[in-house]
Amino acid sequence: MTSPDIETFVAEARAWLASVAAPRTQRPWGEGSDAVAVFENWTAEEERAETDRIRAYEQARFDAGFGAVTWPVEYGGRALPTSYLLAFRRVEAEYDVPRRTEMFPVTQQLIAPTIAQWGTEQQRSTYVRAMLRTDLIACQLFSETEAGSDLAAVRTRAVRDGDGWVLDGHKVWTSGARVADYGLAITRTDPAVAKHAGLTAFLVPMDAPGVVVRPIRQMTGGSSFNEVYLDGVRLDDAHRLGPEGQGWKVALTVLASERLDSGSLGLENADQAIELARNLGRPLTELERDRVADLVTRSYVQRLTGMRVAAAVVAGRDAGPEASVGKLLATDTMARTSEVVRTLLGPDLTVESDRWGAWAWTEHVLGAPGYRIAGGTDEIQHNILAERVLGLPREPR
């Protein structure tokens, strides 16, 4: 099949988007939703309904040929260069399509590629296309309370039982566990060897007997995250992903994609904070102007770093340390957005009122610190840059 030139591709994408969504317009200040939540605060029913709404759009996009643009044809893709995917995203941003929640990039950009790399032929056939189309939704069962940022220290056990496995343990901070069909779990299968060598990955059906999901109440008042208990969960060996003892390498495949995809976090809310400054209804003080200008500048730096990462990917190179830089810039942008909003609104930030664009910011201010942990802590990103870029000695064990 001959690939379309990129101008033709963009025209086709715009025509399809126009058939399923209205153009995105710049709404006047004070109209529409003022939501700036970092982590959504939905009930289980609301999360399921929103997931289904987004899934319907993702399936339509896939069926139209724009959902797996860079993937091989065998997975429903078009085998086009990454530049086509970036071009589609630019056009898509012009239309009022459903806003993807975290579960969708986790499924399509983290878990599906990991299965494509590490899965058996049967696993690739069963899961990859279904996840790219979002017929199946996946979550990560990585973090544990006693492991912290040291993923290799997980204690969830997987023990051989005949031709299968029995999993016992506890995972925490799992996004989307209530709506996920599968969870990618990193478990300890050999406690006698070095911690990185004794891990094995499994695809766990979230409705399997022994899987219990419990929402975690956050200080924002909602429950975006969950703890997941694995109590005697029996799996056959077909659910093992990758060779026994190679779970660390499987996990690194996921984490590399996660950091690569985190560089644009926080920019939308930063832009909204700048709009707040423009529509405050009074002149800004010198301190306020300085902080707003600083946020504008740092947002541009974050965007430029994201462009460098994208350029590296388009050129077929490893994104390298820029992915970690992007994650650090994103958490910094979120923190500085909070500072700008606190400076501009003062006590009004803490007063629950009908004022548009005021009380809603509490969701951002309370949620933003969480991203210093999510997707790899700031400390981990600093270590990556120190060791791989600056050549500093590794931390002593």
Side-chain angles (χ1 to χ4, degrees), residues 45 52 99 111 118 136 155 201 203 205 253 255 287 354 360 362:
E45 294 75 18
D52 289 344
R99 180 182 177 186
I111 308 298
W118 290 96
L136 295 175
R155 298 187 180 187
L203 290 166
T253 303
L255 295 176
L287 175 62
D354 295 331
T362 59

Side-chain angles (χ1 to χ4, degrees), residues 282-354:
R282 61 170 176 79
L284 301 185
T285 66
E286 290 185 3
L287 175 62
E288 289 169 341
R289 288 200 302 270
D290 181 70
R291 289 190 172 174
V292 172
D294 181 70
L295 179 60
V296 171
T297 303
R298 291 175 183 272
S299 296
Y300 274 115
V301 171
Q302 185 182 336
R303 285 184 166 93
L304 288 171
T305 302
M307 292 169 65
R308 291 175 64 190
V309 171
V313 172
V314 168
R317 301 192 307 271
D318 183 358
E322 284 89 350
S324 289
V325 172
K327 172 63 165 57
L328 288 168
L329 289 172
T331 55
D332 182 67
T333 295
M334 288 180 168
R336 291 176 186 274
T337 297
S338 295
E339 285 298 322
V340 165
V341 169
R342 281 196 291 262
T343 302
L344 295 176
L345 293 176
D348 287 350
L349 176 63
T350 63
V351 177
E352 187 170 4
S353 67
D354 295 331

